[in-house]
């Protein structure tokens, strides 16, 4: 089975990567870009029987820094 | 309007970040982890009227290195 974890910086936390991408896109002439934020996506191949609670524990303990990052888990 | 771009290393391309995450999760006792791959997700706030073709152009020109990375675009 598969799980996909998406980790984004929380709103209000400065995102220098996103700011750099926005600046680059505007510099390339993509004038419609108003805001960019960049996060990470982690795809996990898991043994059958691994629960969403297990994946949530992985997020809390390792995958996300919950002080500044939020995460979402999508199973299957 | 919003667009979400997900960029992952292509299959067969070595993913040291994913390998490190897998090793850490196994070391923490999450025995069900079989494979991990890590990519990036970029959320774009766009002016109305920006088309999916525009976002695809952003991916081709900046957001993804299409030699080693694949991307998907999700509008809305």
């Amino acid at each position: 089975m598969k799980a996909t974890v998406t980790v984004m910086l929380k709103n209000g936390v400065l995102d220098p990567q996103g700011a750099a991408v926005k600046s680059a896109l505007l510099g390339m002439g993509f004038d419609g870009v108003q805001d960019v934020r960049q996060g990470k996506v982690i795809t996990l191949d898991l043994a059958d029987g691994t629960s969403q609670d297990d994946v949530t524990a992985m997020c809390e303990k390792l995958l996300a820094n919950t002080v500044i990052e939020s995460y979402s888990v999508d199973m299957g």
Side-chain angles (χ1 to χ4, degrees), chain A:
Chain A
M1 62 187 301
K2 290 204 172 244
T4 303
V5 174
T6 305
V7 180
M8 299 293 296
L9 287 166
K10 289 180 180 174
N11 286 333
V13 177
L14 196 65
D15 178 3
Q17 276 188 305
V21 171
K22 178 186 173 186
S23 173
L25 287 172
L26 291 174
M28 294 168 73
F30 292 107
D31 299 326
V33 178
Q34 295 172 337
D35 193 32
V36 179
R37 289 184 78 78
Q38 183 169 331
K40 56 191 170 181
V41 57
I42 300 150
T43 60
L44 302 152
D45 278 341
L46 299 166
D48 290 341
T50 309
S51 68
Q52 184 157 353
D53 286 350
D54 293 328
V55 180
T56 300
M58 295 178 201
C59 293
E60 291 284 337
K61 291 180 181 169
L62 182 75
L63 302 179
N65 174 355
T66 55
V67 177
I68 56 169
E69 292 172 327
S70 60
Y71 62 86
S72 63
V73 176
D74 181 27
M75 302 293 287

